[in-house]
Amino acid sequence: MAQDDNTAAAKKQRYSGYYNQPAKSDDSLLTAVGPGTPCGDYLRRYWQPFLIASELGELPLAVRLLGEDLVVFRDKSGTLGLLHKHCIHRGVSLEFGIIAERGIRCCYHGWHFDCDGTVLDTPAEPETSRIKHNFCQGAYRVVERHGLLFAYMGPPEAEPEFPLYDALCVPGQVMAPFRMPLPCNWLQIVENAADPIHNAYLHAIMSASGSQFSVAFKVLPALDFVETPLGFLSMATRKVRDHVFIRAGELMLPNVAQFPAGNNAVDKESVRAFASLTRWAVPVDDHHSFYIGTAQWDEHGITRSANLDDYGVGKMPLIGQTADRPYYERQIEPGDYDAMVSPGPIVNRKSEHLGTTDRGVVMIRRMLAAAINATREGKAPALPRLPAGGAPVRTYAHETVLRLPLADALPDKSALGAFGNRAAKVFIDMDDIADSRRDAVARERIEKILREACDAIGQPA
Ligand code: FES
Ligand SMILES: [Fe+2]
């Protein structure tokens, strides 16, 4: 005990780097994604996007996903194939294969594989050979949705229905796919989404150009984390001049996040029940990942840029999402890339000192660990709730700006947090409201809560 006290005291003294060496952590339960790992098995139970559809041309493309080397192609009949990269005959990469009317033919000895991995032909073998019936090339199912290619890499007997999220099914919306490579573990991208306070610092207060998020984000928000059917809302509620401003990002297990655009000037009222950006944090391997998804907008939604050319591979209309800037500029104005990558390929979590604002980070780690352990024990992982009749999956990211009826309404962080929490539940309890009415109904219900908050301070709204 005395020894512990001495150590603690030594660590708290000034110039105590000698005593403050970081502890070593092993987070492999959450970070190791290769075949046969608990986390890798868990992630493989969900459809994972891995390519912008337009990245795939006439030739096969080598890709690395969840620690596996693969080749993706579209055969001449239009079917998508995703096969283990190395030919099961003698290992030549199928990126040099010849695409056929049906499937792909290995360049070395002509073995011909269908998109599902079936060996169709081994042309150099004797006609009587039955070798092609004895093996399959490893293959995964691929679908194209929202301008992206998604793979399912889990056990075929457990393949889930593809979840169409409501935010990606808004009539008349424009969708802009993007894919952003990062040399870090996937969990660092997920944790970035669970951390709404970084929007105030990294994207506003610390932004030298002032061009990352709007000035409104400089106001420190009340935070809250409100559970949803498959994750939680990462809530930031602010009083900005005479408006209350709620921004709710959303995390959905295992690796989906949705956000409002982040450039709301908070100078006029708006209520929006749909995310303007949806992204998946997808592991390439333990030390490399990308986030991939779409920005989407329509006549009602706020978007960061409505120019499709601003999105693509390594392209997002937000400074600091890549390393593709002079180092000096990155130091003057760092962005998400620098925040997610600079801790190293895998953050040493044992050396962290978490504060109250890290609640969302702790929540997502706990949720993921529980889900990974449950999958390891043979339980089926929780999947998005697919409504009857083929309706899209309800999601809950939202953004609200309302004028305060009274200047001194919602006077402190506690009142703001409670208001944000009630507003979040409005969106979560609206599953039965038609998409076209969600903004209006949410507004009506939140205005009522706001009036009640004003009544509570003893003055009529
Ligand atoms: S290595 Fe592919 S056919 Fe021989
Ligand atoms: Fe960010």
Side-chain angles (χ1 to χ4, degrees):
M1 185 63 189
Q3 178 67 34
D4 287 351
D5 286 349
N6 287 342
T7 308
K11 284 186 169 187
K12 280 195 277 187
Q13 67 187 314
R14 299 185 328 143
Y15 297 115
S16 60
Y18 179 84
Y19 293 111
N20 271 306
Q21 297 300 340
K24 296 271 187 300
S25 64
D26 175 10
D27 302 316
S28 55
L29 180 73
L30 298 178
T31 57
V33 298
T37 59
C39 181
D41 274 351
Y42 168 62
L43 290 171
R44 281 169 172 76
R45 302 294 288 272
Y46 296 84
W47 286 96
Q48 300 290 352
F50 66 98
L51 210 65
I52 300 176
S54 59
E55 290 183 77
L56 182 59
E58 288 179 359
L59 297 176
L61 193 64
V63 294
R64 190 162 160 76
L65 191 57
L66 291 164
E68 295 189 45
D69 289 314
L70 306 166
V71 167
V72 61
F73 61 95
R74 196 186 294 272
D75 76 10
K76 290 190 174 159
S77 74
T79 306
L80 288 160
L82 181 64
L83 301 181
H84 285 181
K85 180 177 179 179
H86 298 288
C87 171
I88 50 165
H89 176 219
R90 279 182 35 221
V92 166
S93 171
L94 292 175
E95 73 195 290
F96 302 111
I98 312 301
I99 291 178
E101 182 63 27
R102 178 174 166 189
I104 192 169
R105 203 178 270 282
C106 177
C107 66
Y108 207 12
H109 314 98
W111 283 31
H112 182 182
F113 305 109
D114 205 346
C115 293
D116 64 5
T118 305
V119 185
L120 296 171
D121 190 18
T122 54
E125 295 297 306
E127 271 184 26
T128 53
S129 169
R130 296 200 45 81
I131 190 170
K132 71 178 182 184
H133 300 294
N134 295 340
F135 315 101
C136 264
Q137 181 75 18
Y140 299 116
R141 196 184 291 278
V142 187
V143 296
E144 182 174 345
R145 299 278 187 278
H146 317 304
L148 304 169
L149 300 188
F150 289 76
Y152 172 73
M153 295 172 65
E157 61 279 9
E159 182 185 306
E161 207 171 313
F162 186 88
L164 281 172
Y165 297 117
D166 56 2
L168 302 176
C169 300
V170 176
Q173 76 186 165
V174 178
M175 302 182 92
F178 56 81
R179 186 169 71 83
M180 309 295 293
L182 294 160
C184 69
N185 185 260
W186 76 289
L187 189 58
Q188 281 154 237
I189 305 174
V190 173
E191 289 175 350
N192 173 271
D195 170 20
I197 202 71
H198 94 270
N199 296 327
Y201 280 95
L202 183 71
H203 294 312
I205 296 167
M206 312 292 275
S207 169
S209 69
S211 68
Q212 292 197 26
F213 280 18
S214 72
V215 172
F217 282 84
K218 289 189 176 183
V219 178
L220 287 183
L223 302 183
D224 201 1
F225 302 91
V226 182
E227 288 204 31
T228 59
L230 201 58
F232 59 88
L233 292 176
S234 177
M235 311 276 308
T237 306
R238 298 167 161 87
K239 203 163 156 175
V240 180
R241 298 177 300 277
D242 52 351
H243 288 88
V244 61
F245 171 37
I246 306 172
R247 183 180 197 255
E250 177 171 22
L251 283 90
M252 288 183 278
L253 293 179
N255 58 343
V256 191
Q258 299 204 113
F259 307 101
N263 57 342
N264 195 319
V266 191
D267 52 5
K268 60 177 183 297
E269 295 193 321
S270 62
V271 177
R272 185 64 175 160
F274 297 100
S276 52
L277 188 139
T278 304
R279 80 172 195 205
W280 286 252
V282 179
V284 172
D285 53 32
D286 292 357
H287 295 150
H288 301 84
S289 314
F290 44 82
Y291 69 83
I292 179 170
T294 72
Q296 55 270 352
W297 60 88
D298 63 10
E299 54 184 332
H300 306 297
I302 296 173
T303 181
R304 182 167 284 281
S305 164
N307 182 356
L308 288 171
D309 289 341
D310 286 341
Y311 304 84
V313 181
K315 275 205 291 185
M316 282 283 291
L318 174 59
I319 194 167
Q321 303 302 298
T322 69
D324 190 20
R325 291 188 296 153
Y327 182 58
Y328 170 81
E329 275 180 31
R330 288 173 55 200
Q331 286 190 293
I332 297 297
E333 172 129 26
D336 283 312
Y337 179 96
D338 309 291
M340 291 188 275
V341 169
S342 66
I346 300 182
V347 168
N348 182 1
R349 294 182 172 80
K350 204 163 181 183
S351 71
E352 295 171 336
H353 300 82
L354 299 181
T356 53
T357 53
D358 298 306
R359 260 174 62 212
V361 172
V362 173
M363 258 174 97
I364 195 65
R365 288 178 189 170
R366 283 191 184 144
M367 283 181 166
L368 285 168
I372 291 166
N373 281 325
T375 309
R376 185 152 65 163
E377 287 160 13
K379 297 187 185 123
L383 293 167
R385 294 189 311 195
L386 293 165
V393 177
R394 279 284 178 227
T395 65
Y396 306 100
H398 61 270
E399 189 171 64
T400 296
V401 178
L402 288 176
R403 186 175 293 281
L404 288 164
L406 290 172
D408 52 356
L410 308 176
D412 52 28
K413 283 235 180 102
S414 156
L416 278 168
F419 175 71
N421 182 286
R422 289 187 69 190
K425 287 176 181 157
V426 165
F427 289 92
I428 295 169
D429 291 340
M430 273 198 327
D431 282 4
D432 56 329
I433 305 292
D435 284 7
S436 58
R437 297 192 58 239
R438 283 168 73 81
D439 291 352
V441 171
R443 179 177 183 137
E444 199 178 291
R445 294 180 183 178
I446 296 170
E447 280 177 340
K448 181 165 176 279
I449 296 170
L450 192 52
R451 282 196 299 275
E452 285 167 12
C454 292
D455 291 346
I457 58 173
Q459 298 173 60

